[in-house]
Amino acid sequence: MTTPIIETRNLHKWYSGVHALKGVSLKVERGQALGLVGDNGAGKSTLINILSGLHRQDDGEVLVEGQQTDIRNPKDAMGLGIETIYQYNSMVPLMSISRNVFIGREPLKWSIGGFGILDEKKMREDSVKAIADVDLHLRSPDALVGELSGGQRQGVAIARAMHFKSKVMILDEPTNHLSVKETAKVIGFVKGLKAQGVTSIFISHNMHHVFACCDRIVAMALGQIVLDKPVSETSIEEVSEKL
Amino acid sequence: MRRLFKLSLQKPELAGALLLLVLVIVFQIRSDYVFLSVNNIRGILGLLPETALVALGVTLLMICGEFDLSVGSVFALMPMTMAVLVVGGWPFWLAVGAGLLVCAFIGFLNGWITIRFDIPSFITTLGMMFMARSLTVVVSGGFPPRIRPGEVPSWIFAGFVDDGGLIRASVLWFIGIAVLISLLLSKTNFGNWVRATGGFMPAAAAMGIPTGKVKIACFMICSVLAGFAGMIQSLRLNSFLPSIGEGMELQAVAAAVIGGTALAGGVGSIIGGLIGATLIRVIDNGMVMSQVDANWFKFAIGALTIFAVVGNAWLRRRGRAMKVETDK
């Protein structure tokens, strides 16, 4: 048996008296497309925020590739190869695509103490390549992200994660507020991840979206995991009942 | 037409530049062609670097999504600190360094308090505006320090550099600093972080940018520039008064906004702030030269500020509407 790429052991989290996570233990296997479902307040976001470094657990352990780790901030998470794509979009609308792709990880021509001159040529070329790799076709890396549609933005976010060789991609409600056509596109991106061997955790309210691209379903309710089955052994009805 | 829209969306300082051009022509004609005379340009160039340096810092900070009302007071505090130290026997350069350090510390406090306690910088810096002004008077002990002409090398900052007596050293300092800040914003990773932080903070934070530190750095740069500008003015006039720079904070905001900087952050350019500051100086001077009652100056700046914000908001709405059309 291979070591799971991410494993949590007995995670607990309290928010000012609310017990948001009640001992969550979860193993995510390499290359898996895991669908995480649950109602509002079920603890999905809390779990994800811990894995992506936005919050820290109050109790319990996180293991990445078998190693016990301490994820203190988003930078740590990204360093471990865990990249999160948020529902509100992790992009700055008024900045260009190439600048957005490299936010916080800019290639520099030269630098002193972490500060330096941007390599804008490399940023442009690499972002064009990264976007083409996820089968998204955009006119120019200099276009503002604000000019893109919701689905295209998620595409750029996924391209960014791929460019930085993420091993695990967490997609937090990536299909929220998207049209049917755009949703299909995003689901296509997620399927593409599996083909490239990237592990993904797909969070959604919408069962149909999760069933369309995941091979394992984990359902949460009231801070606990209430169902964990391969997609072939369960149905939307069964999952809905558990929530 | 669409291309024009797009251009003005990407270059929000363009409208300001056009207005500047028009005003220069109008003032030149209305003033019987003395507006662009050497003597008058000397007058404008004397004051411009001082306003513009403050505006640069405020523009940078606004792009980062924050606000500084204390720049006018820091403008007075820095030269006062320096002068008191010089009178107290400190070497000039050490006193300059100490003065700038005081500014940096005030900027740090502005930023740290704003971020640590998660309060609007409008309030933090409003408080700091009163505190720094008060400190200026306290430091001076109620009597402005006197430095004899020639006692300190003022010429390095405020002396004329050409034989004709047109350009002061302050203009060169200003140009140098403006180029530097402009490059910092457009060509470095720090500039990318500033824009991301001001543009959409949750995204910047999620991508691992230390948004708090970025903001504090901008607060510090802003304060240091304001203090530096105040020092230039004091050395130019060779008088160290606790009252200089009053009202400057709002002129600087007006300059930034007129130059196309968005109040909400993320949008703006250093050149825009510079154009805004130049517009303010040109209007001030041009109205006098055209024999318009000078009391209309503040009215003009106020009206222009509102007009600029309304205009930019309208452009952005039009820009969004256009985008929807192209998606079809």
Side-chain angles (χ1 to χ4, degrees), chain B residues 243-293:
Chain B
S243 58
I244 58 167
E246 269 175 1
M248 196 137 211
E249 53 282 333
L250 297 179
Q251 270 195 28
V253 173
V257 168
I258 291 168
T261 305
L263 283 167
V267 186
S269 65
I270 294 303
I271 185 88
L274 165 61
I275 289 170
T278 313
L279 260 172
I280 289 178
R281 292 270 57 93
V282 161
I283 291 172
D284 188 7
N285 178 283
M287 284 171 77
V288 176
M289 299 308 283
S290 317
Q291 296 176 337
V292 179
D293 183 349

Coordinates of all heavy atoms in Angstrom, one line a residue, chain B residues 243-293:
Chain B
S243 N 4.0 75.2 11.5 CA 2.7 75.2 10.9 C 2.7 74.8 9.4 O 1.6 74.8 8.8 CB 2.1 76.7 11.0 OG 3.0 77.6 10.4
I244 N 3.9 74.6 8.8 CA 3.9 74.3 7.4 C 3.2 72.9 7.1 O 3.1 72.1 8.0 CB 5.3 74.2 6.8 CG1 6.2 73.2 7.6 CG2 6.0 75.6 6.9 CD1 7.5 72.8 6.9
G245 N 2.7 72.8 5.9 CA 2.1 71.6 5.4 C 0.7 71.4 5.9 O 0.1 70.3 5.6
E246 N 0.1 72.4 6.5 CA -1.3 72.2 6.9 C -2.2 72.1 5.6 O -2.1 72.9 4.8 CB -1.8 73.3 7.8 CG -1.6 72.9 9.3 CD -1.9 74.0 10.3 OE1 -2.3 75.1 9.9 OE2 -1.7 73.7 11.5
G247 N -3.1 71.2 5.6 CA -3.9 71.0 4.4 C -3.3 70.2 3.3 O -3.9 69.9 2.3
M248 N -2.0 69.9 3.5 CA -1.3 69.2 2.4 C -1.8 67.8 2.2 O -1.8 67.3 1.1 CB 0.2 69.1 2.8 CG 1.1 68.8 1.7 SD 2.5 69.8 1.9 CE 3.0 70.0 0.2
E249 N -2.2 67.1 3.3 CA -2.7 65.8 3.3 C -3.8 65.6 2.2 O -3.9 64.7 1.5 CB -3.1 65.2 4.6 CG -4.1 66.0 5.4 CD -3.5 67.3 6.1 OE1 -2.3 67.2 6.4 OE2 -4.2 68.3 6.3
L250 N -4.7 66.6 2.3 CA -5.9 66.5 1.4 C -5.5 66.9 0.0 O -6.0 66.3 -1.0 CB -7.0 67.3 1.9 CG -7.5 66.8 3.3 CD1 -8.6 67.6 3.8 CD2 -7.9 65.3 3.2
Q251 N -4.6 67.8 -0.2 CA -4.1 68.1 -1.5 C -3.4 66.9 -2.2 O -3.6 66.7 -3.3 CB -3.1 69.3 -1.5 CG -3.7 70.6 -1.6 CD -2.7 71.7 -1.9 OE1 -1.7 71.5 -2.5 NE2 -3.0 72.9 -1.5
A252 N -2.7 66.2 -1.3 CA -2.0 65.0 -1.9 C -3.0 63.9 -2.3 O -2.8 63.3 -3.3 CB -1.1 64.4 -0.8
V253 N -4.1 63.8 -1.5 CA -5.1 62.8 -1.9 C -5.8 63.3 -3.2 O -6.0 62.5 -4.1 CB -6.1 62.6 -0.8 CG1 -7.3 61.8 -1.2 CG2 -5.5 62.0 0.5
A254 N -6.0 64.6 -3.2 CA -6.7 65.1 -4.4 C -5.8 64.9 -5.7 O -6.2 64.5 -6.7 CB -6.9 66.6 -4.3
A255 N -4.5 65.1 -5.5 CA -3.5 64.9 -6.6 C -3.6 63.5 -7.1 O -3.6 63.2 -8.3 CB -2.1 65.3 -6.2
A256 N -3.5 62.5 -6.1 CA -3.6 61.1 -6.5 C -4.8 60.8 -7.2 O -4.8 60.1 -8.3 CB -3.4 60.3 -5.2
V257 N -6.0 61.3 -6.7 CA -7.3 60.9 -7.3 C -7.4 61.6 -8.7 O -7.9 60.9 -9.6 CB -8.4 61.4 -6.4 CG1 -9.7 61.3 -7.1 CG2 -8.4 60.5 -5.1
I258 N -7.0 62.8 -8.8 CA -7.0 63.5 -10.1 C -6.2 62.7 -11.1 O -6.5 62.6 -12.3 CB -6.6 65.0 -10.0 CG1 -7.7 65.7 -9.1 CG2 -6.4 65.6 -11.3 CD1 -7.2 67.1 -8.7
G259 N -5.1 62.2 -10.6 CA -4.2 61.4 -11.5 C -4.7 60.0 -11.8 O -4.0 59.2 -12.4
G260 N -5.9 59.7 -11.3 CA -6.5 58.4 -11.7 C -6.4 57.3 -10.7 O -6.7 56.1 -11.0
T261 N -5.8 57.5 -9.5 CA -5.7 56.5 -8.5 C -7.1 56.3 -7.9 O -7.8 57.2 -7.6 CB -4.7 56.9 -7.4 OG1 -3.5 57.3 -8.0 CG2 -4.5 55.8 -6.4
A262 N -7.4 55.0 -7.7 CA -8.8 54.6 -7.2 C -8.7 54.7 -5.7 O -7.7 54.2 -5.1 CB -9.2 53.2 -7.7
L263 N -9.8 55.2 -5.1 CA -9.8 55.3 -3.6 C -9.8 53.9 -3.0 O -9.3 53.7 -1.9 CB -11.1 56.0 -3.2 CG -11.0 57.5 -3.3 CD1 -12.4 58.1 -3.2 CD2 -10.0 58.1 -2.3
A264 N -10.3 52.9 -3.7 CA -10.4 51.5 -3.2 C -9.1 50.8 -3.3 O -9.0 49.7 -2.8 CB -11.5 50.8 -3.9
G265 N -8.1 51.3 -4.0 CA -6.8 50.7 -4.1 C -6.7 49.9 -5.4 O -7.7 49.6 -6.1
G266 N -5.5 49.4 -5.6 CA -5.2 48.6 -6.8 C -5.0 49.3 -8.1 O -4.3 48.8 -8.9
V267 N -5.6 50.4 -8.3 CA -5.4 51.2 -9.5 C -4.7 52.5 -9.3 O -5.0 53.2 -8.3 CB -6.8 51.5 -10.1 CG1 -6.7 52.1 -11.5 CG2 -7.7 50.3 -10.2
G268 N -3.8 52.8 -10.2 CA -3.1 54.1 -10.1 C -1.7 54.0 -10.6 O -1.2 52.9 -10.8
S269 N -1.1 55.1 -10.8 CA 0.3 55.1 -11.2 C 1.0 56.3 -10.6 O 0.4 57.3 -10.3 CB 0.4 55.2 -12.8 OG -0.1 56.4 -13.2
I270 N 2.3 56.2 -10.5 CA 3.1 57.3 -10.0 C 3.0 58.5 -10.9 O 2.9 59.6 -10.5 CB 4.6 56.8 -9.8 CG1 4.6 55.7 -8.8 CG2 5.5 57.9 -9.5 CD1 4.1 56.1 -7.4
I271 N 3.1 58.2 -12.2 CA 3.0 59.4 -13.2 C 1.7 60.1 -13.0 O 1.6 61.3 -13.1 CB 3.2 58.9 -14.6 CG1 3.3 60.1 -15.6 CG2 2.2 57.9 -15.1 CD1 4.7 60.6 -15.7
G272 N 0.6 59.3 -12.7 CA -0.7 59.9 -12.4 C -0.7 60.9 -11.2 O -1.2 62.0 -11.3
G273 N 0.0 60.4 -10.2 CA 0.1 61.3 -9.0 C 0.9 62.5 -9.3 O 0.5 63.6 -8.8
L274 N 1.9 62.4 -10.1 CA 2.7 63.5 -10.5 C 1.9 64.5 -11.3 O 2.0 65.7 -11.1 CB 3.9 63.0 -11.3 CG 4.7 64.0 -12.1 CD1 5.3 65.0 -11.2 CD2 5.8 63.3 -12.9
I275 N 1.1 64.0 -12.3 CA 0.3 64.8 -13.1 C -0.8 65.6 -12.2 O -1.0 66.8 -12.4 CB -0.5 64.0 -14.2 CG1 0.6 63.6 -15.2 CG2 -1.6 64.8 -14.8 CD1 0.0 62.6 -16.2
G276 N -1.3 64.8 -11.3 CA -2.3 65.4 -10.3 C -1.7 66.6 -9.6 O -2.2 67.7 -9.4
A277 N -0.4 66.3 -9.0 CA 0.2 67.4 -8.3 C 0.5 68.6 -9.1 O 0.4 69.7 -8.7 CB 1.5 66.8 -7.6
T278 N 1.0 68.3 -10.4 CA 1.3 69.4 -11.3 C 0.1 70.2 -11.6 O 0.1 71.5 -11.6 CB 1.9 68.8 -12.6 OG1 2.9 67.9 -12.3 CG2 2.5 69.9 -13.4
L279 N -1.1 69.5 -11.8 CA -2.3 70.2 -12.1 C -2.7 71.2 -10.9 O -3.1 72.3 -11.2 CB -3.5 69.2 -12.2 CG -3.9 68.8 -13.6 CD1 -4.8 67.7 -13.6 CD2 -4.5 70.0 -14.3
I280 N -2.5 70.7 -9.7 CA -2.8 71.5 -8.5 C -2.0 72.8 -8.5 O -2.4 73.9 -8.4 CB -2.7 70.7 -7.2 CG1 -3.8 69.7 -7.2 CG2 -2.7 71.6 -6.0 CD1 -3.8 68.8 -6.0
R281 N -0.7 72.6 -8.7 CA 0.2 73.7 -8.7 C -0.1 74.7 -9.9 O 0.0 75.9 -9.8 CB 1.7 73.3 -8.8 CG 2.1 72.6 -7.6 CD 2.7 73.5 -6.5 NE 1.9 74.6 -6.1 CZ 1.1 74.6 -5.1 NH1 1.0 73.5 -4.3 NH2 0.3 75.6 -4.8
V282 N -0.3 74.1 -11.1 CA -0.6 74.9 -12.3 C -1.9 75.7 -12.1 O -2.0 76.9 -12.4 CB -0.7 74.0 -13.5 CG1 -1.4 74.7 -14.6 CG2 0.7 73.6 -13.9
I283 N -2.9 75.1 -11.5 CA -4.2 75.8 -11.2 C -4.0 76.9 -10.2 O -4.4 78.1 -10.4 CB -5.3 74.8 -10.7 CG1 -5.7 73.9 -11.8 CG2 -6.5 75.6 -10.2 CD1 -6.6 72.8 -11.4
D284 N -3.2 76.6 -9.1 CA -3.0 77.6 -8.1 C -2.3 78.9 -8.8 O -2.7 80.0 -8.6 CB -2.0 77.0 -7.1 CG -1.8 77.9 -5.9 OD1 -2.5 79.0 -5.8 OD2 -1.0 77.6 -5.0
N285 N -1.2 78.6 -9.5 CA -0.4 79.7 -10.1 C -1.2 80.3 -11.3 O -1.2 81.6 -11.4 CB 0.9 79.1 -10.5 CG 1.8 80.1 -11.2 OD1 1.5 80.5 -12.4 ND2 2.8 80.6 -10.5
G286 N -1.8 79.5 -12.1 CA -2.4 80.0 -13.3 C -3.6 80.9 -13.0 O -3.8 81.9 -13.7
M287 N -4.3 80.7 -11.9 CA -5.4 81.5 -11.5 C -4.9 82.9 -11.1 O -5.5 83.9 -11.5 CB -6.2 80.9 -10.4 CG -7.1 79.7 -10.9 SD -7.9 78.8 -9.6 CE -9.2 79.9 -9.2
V288 N -3.8 82.9 -10.4 CA -3.3 84.2 -10.0 C -2.8 84.9 -11.2 O -3.1 86.1 -11.4 CB -2.1 84.0 -9.0 CG1 -1.5 85.3 -8.7 CG2 -2.6 83.3 -7.7
M289 N -2.1 84.3 -12.1 CA -1.5 84.9 -13.3 C -2.6 85.4 -14.2 O -2.5 86.3 -14.9 CB -0.6 83.9 -14.0 CG 0.6 83.4 -13.2 SD 1.5 84.7 -12.5 CE 2.4 85.3 -14.0
S290 N -3.8 84.7 -14.1 CA -4.9 85.2 -15.0 C -5.8 86.2 -14.3 O -6.9 86.5 -14.7 CB -5.8 83.9 -15.4 OG -5.0 82.9 -15.8
Q291 N -5.4 86.6 -13.1 CA -6.1 87.6 -12.3 C -7.5 87.1 -11.9 O -8.4 87.9 -11.9 CB -6.1 88.9 -13.1 CG -4.7 89.5 -13.3 CD -4.7 90.7 -14.1 OE1 -5.6 91.0 -14.8 NE2 -3.7 91.5 -13.9
V292 N -7.6 85.8 -11.6 CA -8.8 85.3 -11.0 C -8.6 85.4 -9.5 O -7.5 85.2 -9.0 CB -9.1 83.9 -11.4 CG1 -10.3 83.3 -10.8 CG2 -9.1 83.7 -12.9
D293 N -9.7 85.8 -8.8 CA -9.6 85.9 -7.4 C -9.0 84.6 -6.8 O -9.6 83.5 -7.0 CB -11.0 86.1 -6.8 CG -11.0 86.3 -5.3 OD1 -10.0 86.0 -4.7 OD2 -12.1 86.7 -4.8

